[in-house]
Amino acid sequence: MNMLEQIKQIKNPEDLTALHSSVFGKNGTMTVRLKDMKNLDNDSRAALNAESAELRDAFKHAQEELEHAAMMNALESQKLDAAAITGYGLRVTDNGRLHPLSQCMSEVSTVLTEMGYSLRTGPEIEDDWHNFTALNTPPHHPARDMQDTFFVSGGNVMRTQTSAVQIRSMEKDGVPIKIFSAGTTYRREMDATHSPMFHQIEGLVVDRRITLSDMVGDIKTFLERFFERELNMRIRPSYFPFTEPSVEIDVEWKPGKWLEIMGAGMVHPNVLCNVKINPNEFQGFAFGFGLDRLAMLKYGLSDIREFFGGDARWLKANGFETLGDKK
């Protein structure tokens, strides 16, 4: 019986391994012949190489056949007893839970939609125009510094704010417009109240005869609906390159304790001009806030980094509803 026939006759992996070692092992028959190849003529070398390759293929094929047979035998022996499963009974021991950011995003979206805002989204990798220039952020602005921004190839950036979505929406849809943008943004910062990746919500309204009082009214309505209570609100002057005037919005969270909630302002005329809207005919306001920090306030959480832990026990300990509880 030649070697190829011997390989085909083997029925278990151990015998195949032993035969392979006797042929291709350190002192195997084929190993010895290959070492002597330098003394052969060209035709004999070619024939020996062909024989060696044929044997290697045969061993490989035999090994695959044996492994497949072993797997099928294992599957056959591990068939599930359907009756046993039915008798035991399938039951849900714990429902999945909504992540606080998902829950917060849903609540924010519901309130803003009920107020007449339409949701818009956009790319997370942005070009310079939509992320900076069109928003009246010149090249020397500190927001463009390496310590604040993640730069990627091609001169693009991981968007630092969802305001870029506002630019894209005005370019596409024109005015009047009443939208909110929602999504992930990126900045180079990391501590208990900051994350290099965070979620942002921004609102934008542009139409004729829009005033600062319209903005204050919408923001107060949104905050009171979201937090489900009346709130005293304080407005402080601030600066953002894409709004003028710009303000910070504070709320009296506890008696005598004020917390900064969001930034806002009237859309800067330069921004309107950049998207080919006449600022002498149309005016508007914009506001923006970090969804993560809003969730921390509403749900009483202290460390923003816990949002990214993925521990279901933490969700349960903080009282977040199960999917089965959500109607």
Side-chain angles (χ1 to χ4, degrees), residues 267-279:
V267 181
H268 199 291
N270 288 350
V271 174
L272 295 176
C273 290
N274 287 337
V275 292
K276 297 180 173 54
I277 296 173
N278 186 351

Side-chain angles (χ1 to χ4, degrees), residues 98-113 180 201 226 291 299 321 326:
L98 286 176
H99 192 279
L101 292 180
S102 299
Q103 186 168 319
C104 188
M105 178 71 80
S106 176
E107 294 173 3
V108 168
S109 298
T110 297
V111 172
L112 289 173
T113 300
F180 73 99
I201 304 284
F226 176 74
L291 182 75
Y299 307 136
E321 65 184 3
K326 188 171 180 62

